[in-house]
Amino acid sequence: MRYLSTLGVVTLTLFLLSACGGSSSDNLSAAPDDGGPRTDAPEQDAPGHDDPIADDDAAQAQGPAFPSPEWYAREAENYARVLEAPVEQVTSPAFMLRWTSQSLANAASFTERAAADNTWLLGGITGLLGGIVNNLTDPQALLTLVQDTVTDTAEALQNDPMAAIGLLGNTPVTPLCTSWAAQCAGDPFRYPGVDSFYGSVGTVEPVVFYDRECARLSGRVWRPLNAPAGASLPGIVIQNGSVQAPETLYWWAAQMLVDSGYVVLTFDPRGQGRSDLSTPQGAQGSNFNPAVFWEGLVDAIDFFRSAPEQPYPHNDTCAGTWPTPVTAFNPYHDHIDAERLGIAGHSLGGTGVSVVQGLGGVGADPWDGQLDVENPVKVAVAWDGAATPPGSVPAEGGGGGSPLSLVFGLLGGDVERPVFVPRVPMMSQDSEYGLTPVPFSSPPEPRARLGWFDAWQAADVPAFGFTIRGSSHYEWSLLPSFPTTSWCPRIEQGRCVGGWGLPMAQHYTLAWFDRYLKQPGEPGFDDADARLLADEDWSERWSFYHASARDFTDREGRRQTCDGLLAGCD
């Protein structure tokens, strides 16, 4: 266990120093296109913000006064929730045994992949080694490559000394979590051979495809096991958070969605997990180049929508870069309804989701996918990473999107984001204590999480934003030993059962996608609205610090507007 705990300290330290993504309070520049806004008239006047979120949510005002012993006692009890998961894990012999076993198995599978294709270890050293292999028979080209590489590397290091980390290339420890070992294993009960999901609910196919700059991306496509060929199912593309976030951490969402009738793509962005750390030319990924979280997401959407008659284009343009076999098109292409696509992302991946959903809208940068003329995304969910569009002015007392914007600026924050607008229905789920959980010493600004919501509401595009009580940034990335609320209090039939923040995240993520992607007769269509409006079922888990709000139209055409979910809605 010393290996696990030591790596936990190291990886957590790296994580906190390296950033995990975020958003800025840049602003909205234009109205959405015709695909997003409601055309219905609300049954009541749209809420104003003369008094921010119903006087900062009436229920919050009913709490103990600050400062007072009662306020500090309540805060201590609330903060204690972020220690629930580490305690329940270390005190569960069954969890620790399964985690250790899966960590070792993942490390072994990483070694096997490297033995079968050593370019996964040798590649990425600013592209030099791969270029040498490809140019051995052309001395002049080889000389030019070496000269250009030296020049480009020197310029990169002069502009950004931290880019030296990228010179390591693919190694057993870079990208971070490349082995999927230790904390990077995620929920250890969700693997083939252990989880009954794979034999009874869903099936999964590993894939490898190039991004637009010829870095290899590793991923998986998931579908319901018994879905017949030709079934027309909605699809979801899930994007990781940055740094310490391989796709394994989000298999909870993939399995939940497959169980509910979706086809899903999970993948490791460039610079993370089992994908390449950098391109053959040395272009970085992860926090060193946050653009991969929107450009790479567009590429992943293209792959997800590829088919034999329309192969994934970047595999052709990057052909021969590496000897690694790539997947020509989505192996489950014949199960997907091309008109029903959603995207979800965590942390910096949530920022990418915010950007990508809005490309192609009126006043936004154009959609730059290769397989669709127009942006095919119909609905989005951001897990603790929503970004506010450039040009928007938050309502009184409001902030930007995710509170991680400061951290985002530490590394790669100078990368210019595309101009995007609110275009499709979006949900943001946020944490109270964020990336580095420490207790509050005073009440935070209640509307600090809702700047993005104000932009969507002003554009008349459906929106739902809430904060989970007692939560940290890791509610959505199941990292064993990391500070977060309970997610494995019991192990039943070989699976983690119960918890605090994760069940709430699952409930609202699925309900939001079902509301905008399911069709009559499909599971989840009839009760999607009821699940989104089940406020009392989750009342004890709404944050009493941060306001939660919604504004969308139900299937009956009724405008469901609420500015204070904790206080209750009419």
Side-chain angles (χ1 to χ4, degrees):
M1 293 305 163
R2 181 175 297 177
Y3 164 73
L4 294 175
S5 60
T6 301
L7 183 57
V9 173
V10 173
T11 52
L12 180 56
T13 302
L14 286 171
F15 197 168
L16 302 183
L17 290 175
S18 301
C20 189
S23 65
S24 75
S25 53
D26 297 338
N27 292 311
L28 172 74
S29 61
D33 63 13
D34 292 338
R38 295 176 300 264
T39 57
D40 60 293
E43 294 184 349
Q44 60 188 51
D45 292 337
H49 295 289
D50 294 334
D51 298 314
I53 296 292
D55 292 326
D56 296 339
D57 198 333
Q60 294 169 9
Q62 295 171 6
F66 174 83
S68 68
E70 292 79 12
W71 188 93
Y72 287 108
R74 184 182 71 162
E75 167 55 16
E77 181 180 1
N78 193 60
Y79 176 75
R81 286 205 173 275
V82 302
L83 304 177
E84 288 176 342
V87 171
E88 70 190 13
Q89 291 158 15
V90 75
T91 57
S92 169
F95 184 93
M96 297 301 290
L97 178 61
R98 175 85 281 281
W99 178 23
T100 303
S101 299
Q102 193 59 58
S103 176
L104 293 172
N106 288 354
S109 71
F110 169 79
T111 302
E112 291 170 2
R113 184 181 75 157
D117 179 357
N118 62 15
T119 65
W120 283 110
L121 279 181
L122 300 177
I125 308 176
T126 62
L128 181 58
L129 188 56
I132 290 173
V133 172
N134 290 331
N135 290 285
L136 284 175
T137 60
D138 188 341
Q140 183 57 48
L142 188 58
L143 178 60
T144 300
L145 172 67
V146 173
Q147 291 173 335
D148 289 347
T149 299
V150 171
T151 300
D152 292 345
T153 301
E155 290 179 354
L157 293 177
Q158 183 177 8
N159 294 332
D160 180 12
M162 293 297 292
I165 293 176
L167 302 182
L168 293 172
N170 298 340
T171 75
V173 293
T174 56
L176 193 61
C177 277
T178 189
S179 66
W180 291 359
Q183 282 80 0
C184 306
D187 182 344
F189 293 96
R190 291 186 179 272
Y191 283 80
V194 177
D195 193 345
S196 61
F197 166 89
Y198 298 95
S200 60
V201 178
T203 184
V204 61
E205 185 75 21
V207 296
V208 175
F209 56 97
Y210 286 108
D211 71 9
R212 64 185 63 191
E213 294 183 85
C214 301
R216 293 166 295 183
L217 303 184
S218 171
R220 278 161 175 69
V221 187
W222 312 62
R223 70 165 174 83
L225 182 64
N226 298 318
S232 185
L233 304 176
I236 305 292
V237 176
I238 297 174
Q239 178 160 244
N240 310 357
S242 61
V243 188
Q244 175 84 351
E247 61 162 296
T248 50
L249 309 187
Y250 306 95
W251 285 0
W252 65 266
Q255 292 184 357
M256 173 191 71
L257 290 162
V258 168
D259 191 29
S260 300
Y262 290 85
V263 181
V264 179
L265 171 65
T266 57
F267 70 102
D268 286 330
R270 185 203 308 168
Q272 295 190 209
R274 294 198 172 178
S275 293
D276 277 332
L277 181 73
S278 60
T279 71
Q281 292 73 39
Q284 299 298 294
S286 195
N287 293 76
F288 296 103
N289 179 17
V292 301
F293 287 91
W294 44 87
E295 293 175 353
L297 179 55
V298 171
D299 295 342
I301 290 171
D302 272 345
F303 177 79
F304 188 69
R305 295 170 68 78
S306 62
E309 64 276 10
Q310 196 175 37
Y312 177 65
H314 296 306
N315 285 346
D316 291 334
T317 57
C318 297
T321 302
W322 297 111
T324 307
V326 293
T327 312
F329 51 83
N330 184 346
Y332 298 148
H333 65 91
D334 57 348
H335 291 82
I336 296 172
D337 182 345
E339 299 302 314
R340 295 190 285 165
L341 175 67
I343 54 176
H346 177 221
S347 189
L348 190 47
T351 300
V353 161
S354 306
V355 171
V356 169
Q357 66 76 35
L359 297 178
V362 176
D365 284 349
W367 171 253
D368 63 345
Q370 302 299 299
L371 298 186
D372 295 280
V373 175
E374 297 180 350
N375 190 335
V377 175
K378 298 300 191 295
V379 60
V381 174
W383 297 314
D384 213 23
T388 302
S392 74
V393 178
E396 181 182 351
S402 162
L404 300 172
S405 56
L406 176 60
V407 178
F408 173 83
L410 295 178
L411 290 173
D414 58 343
V415 174
E416 183 177 356
R417 292 182 193 163
V419 176
F420 66 99
V421 297
R423 196 187 64 87
V424 303
M426 191 164 94
M427 169 178 283
S428 177
Q429 303 177 8
D430 292 298
S431 67
E432 277 192 333
Y433 293 103
L435 186 68
T436 56
V438 294
F440 290 121
S441 58
S442 62
E445 165 55 52
R447 288 186 47 76
R449 306 290 195 264
L450 291 176
W452 77 271
F453 179 89
D454 295 335
W456 257 252
Q457 193 172 54
D460 202 25
V461 180
F464 198 135
F466 65 87
T467 298
I468 300 173
R469 184 181 302 182
S471 59
S472 79
H473 187 59
Y474 313 107
E475 304 296 324
W476 301 268
S477 53
L478 303 188
L479 288 151
S481 81
F482 269 50
T484 191
T485 68
S486 170
W487 58 265
C488 194
R490 303 185 308 280
I491 300 170
E492 298 178 3
Q493 298 181 341
R495 302 198 84 185
C496 290
V497 177
W500 180 263
L502 183 62
M504 188 176 189
Q506 292 173 314
H507 174 90
Y508 283 100
T509 296
L510 182 60
W512 192 249
F513 282 137
D514 284 352
R515 168 63 185 85
Y516 292 101
L517 294 177
K518 287 299 183 73
Q519 294 178 342
E522 293 180 331
F525 175 87
D526 290 336
D527 65 348
D529 289 329
R531 284 179 284 142
L532 289 173
L533 300 174
D535 303 339
E536 292 186 4
D537 293 348
W538 303 95
S539 59
E540 66 175 356
R541 305 190 198 195
W542 302 115
S543 171
F544 47 69
Y545 287 127
H546 295 287
S548 299
R550 63 169 177 250
D551 190 355
F552 72 97
T553 302
D554 64 25
R555 295 194 191 280
E556 300 300 320
R558 296 184 295 263
R559 182 97 170 247
Q560 300 291 346
T561 300
C562 183
D563 276 356
L565 295 177
L566 182 61
C569 310
D570 296 331

